[in-house]
Amino acid sequence: MSTTAFRPPLLTRALPPPPTPRGSPVPALLAYLGVRGLGLLVLTLWAHRRHTGVRHVLATQWDANWYLGIADHGYTHTLGTAYDANNLAFFPLYPYLTKALAAVTPGSRASVGLAIAVVASVVAAWGVFAVGDRLYGQRAGVLLTVLWAALPVGSVQWMGYTESLFTACAAWALYAVLTDRPLRAASLAVLAGLTRPTGLAVVVAVVGWALYRLRRRPRDLRFLGAALLAPLGWGGYVGWVGLRLGRWDGYLAVQRLWHNEWDGGAETLRRVRQLLAQDASPPLFLLVVTGTLIGAVVLFGVAVADRQPLPLLVFSGVLLVIVLGSGGVYFSRARFLLPAFPLLLPLALHLARASLRHRALALTTAVLGGTYLSAYMSLVWAKPM
């Protein structure tokens, strides 16, 4: 399959074609480690001033505590009635990977879980670069990686959460799609589907692409295999929860206990309207979350107008629909969109074409602003990310 089929012509006219062989990921990974290292330094100093241990913030708070509980004690056997108390809402790959590695390493499960997140973040950054480099060349790939590292919720990438592991699976699955490797894409979709509920976005993107390719190449059974394999992770866990609870809608029932059922975006719109039209002095944290949600919708529209590759649009679009269309905790919506790195491609392309001065100013602003906001949202605001 020709890679030009995935290259939006309206954007690439101002850019040279991607180099052959593809650019080295080393500059992108060094830049990523630099941005996240600065974020860790600021977070550590800020935590020290607030008499808080940074390891506690990164490895054992909020959702990290839920994952550690699953690694220690497994999943519950009953549905129950308590709000925000059923651990079946959390998918199994990350906690069981933590448990398995902790059994053969000297560190605690909290330390191992944090190490997994950090390593996965580097793998994810490599995948983000690979997608950008594949489509638009090394410069765009590096810029895309830096923008992803500098997001206002970027500190989550080095916390005991699943966002980094999920982004790694999603990025490399999309790269496998772009390079026409259906079974690899499907295998990564299985892992993504075992990592987060939003793994459904990767599944839909890979299955849709595989079925489209199967129509054009009906004798290539790799695409049929990919379409059948990709849903097994997400569907397998949701089905297992139903069997464990003895009801077909078991996972949906668990989500209802977390007030996270589908409402078509009514709760999201209510919170946005309340924040922007009724709250005279909205907290900075909520402004960042709301700005991230609005910005993501705008960037998705730009990506559609720019004719971004369809598998990337499907992934970002389904992820947006899931995050914006569900009820539940509003504070976490920004980090739920952290894996949607294709939405940053229009910004990366703009910076790739910009002057050196403009590019340096934009990146400095993004990195410093993201560093401050990440630390603020981890330490100052009382609600979990």
Side-chain angles (χ1 to χ4, degrees):
M1 181 181 62
S2 171
T3 58
T4 57
F6 287 111
R7 196 170 298 140
L10 294 179
L11 289 176
T12 54
R13 288 174 186 169
L15 287 173
T20 304
R22 301 295 170 184
S24 168
V26 173
L29 296 180
L30 290 177
Y32 175 77
L33 292 173
V35 173
R36 293 294 356 121
L38 175 63
L40 179 61
L41 175 62
V42 171
L43 180 64
T44 301
L45 295 175
W46 201 336
H48 178 73
R49 294 192 62 175
R50 293 177 62 85
H51 307 290
T52 301
V54 70
R55 181 182 178 279
H56 171 66
V57 173
L58 297 177
T60 62
Q61 284 197 124
W62 308 314
D63 283 11
N65 189 49
W66 281 100
Y67 290 118
L68 291 174
I70 294 169
D72 288 339
H73 309 295
Y75 284 103
T76 183
H77 290 268
T78 59
L79 179 62
T81 58
Y83 172 60
D84 283 5
N86 194 304
N87 65 5
L88 289 167
F90 298 90
F91 277 50
L93 182 59
Y94 176 71
Y96 282 132
L97 184 60
T98 298
K99 180 178 182 178
L101 291 181
V104 295
T105 58
S108 67
R109 285 178 176 169
S111 298
V112 170
L114 184 58
I116 291 173
V118 172
V119 172
S121 76
V122 177
V123 177
W126 190 354
V128 169
F129 164 79
V131 170
D133 175 55
R134 177 76 186 181
L135 293 172
Y136 307 113
Q138 184 183 37
R139 177 183 294 180
V142 172
L143 291 169
L144 180 64
T145 307
V146 172
L147 290 174
W148 183 70
L151 287 172
V153 290
S155 61
V156 173
Q157 297 167 15
W158 283 9
M159 294 177 71
Y161 281 35
T162 58
E163 272 72 17
S164 289
L165 182 60
F166 178 68
T167 305
C169 295
W172 285 107
L174 293 174
Y175 182 78
V177 166
L178 295 177
T179 54
D180 209 25
R181 299 172 182 176
L183 295 181
R184 181 176 299 181
S187 299
L188 289 163
V190 170
L191 295 179
L194 288 170
T195 304
R196 291 192 58 78
T198 47
L200 182 62
V202 184
V203 173
V204 173
V206 171
V207 170
W209 167 77
L211 292 176
Y212 172 77
R213 295 287 289 136
L214 184 63
R215 288 185 59 187
R216 297 172 65 94
R217 298 170 61 178
R219 295 185 179 181
D220 194 336
L221 297 182
R222 295 179 304 153
F223 296 105
L224 177 60
L228 295 175
L229 174 63
L232 293 184
W234 189 89
Y237 179 70
V238 171
W240 177 81
V241 172
L243 291 174
R244 192 172 183 84
L245 297 180
R247 48 188 296 176
W248 70 269
D249 65 340
Y251 187 75
L252 297 178
V254 171
Q255 289 295 334
R256 284 193 291 270
L257 284 179
W258 286 80
H259 295 184
N260 201 31
E261 63 269 25
W262 172 262
D263 64 6
E267 175 64 13
T268 303
L269 289 174
R270 185 188 72 80
R271 294 300 300 266
V272 170
R273 184 169 57 249
Q274 179 184 33
L275 181 71
L276 299 182
Q278 301 174 12
D279 195 336
S281 56
L284 176 60
F285 183 97
L286 294 183
L287 287 176
V288 172
V289 173
T290 303
T292 299
L293 300 183
I294 295 174
V297 173
V298 171
L299 287 174
F300 182 74
V302 175
V304 172
D306 286 346
R307 294 192 289 178
Q308 196 173 100
L310 186 58
L312 273 65
L313 288 176
V314 171
F315 167 69
S316 300
V318 174
L319 192 60
L320 276 171
V321 168
I322 294 173
V323 173
L324 299 180
S326 301
V329 179
Y330 183 75
F331 315 104
S332 302
R333 305 294 178 89
R335 74 170 173 89
F336 290 166
L337 289 176
L338 185 70
F341 70 91
L343 296 178
L344 299 172
L345 267 170
L347 297 179
L349 287 167
H350 172 75
L351 291 177
R353 294 178 293 183
S355 66
L356 179 60
R357 178 180 179 182
H358 177 78
R359 186 160 58 243
L361 178 62
L363 290 179
T364 301
T365 302
V367 170
L368 295 181
T371 296
Y372 172 80
L373 290 173
S374 288
Y376 170 84
M377 295 166 85
S378 299
L379 292 171
V380 178
W381 183 250
K383 295 288 184 180
M385 292 207 299

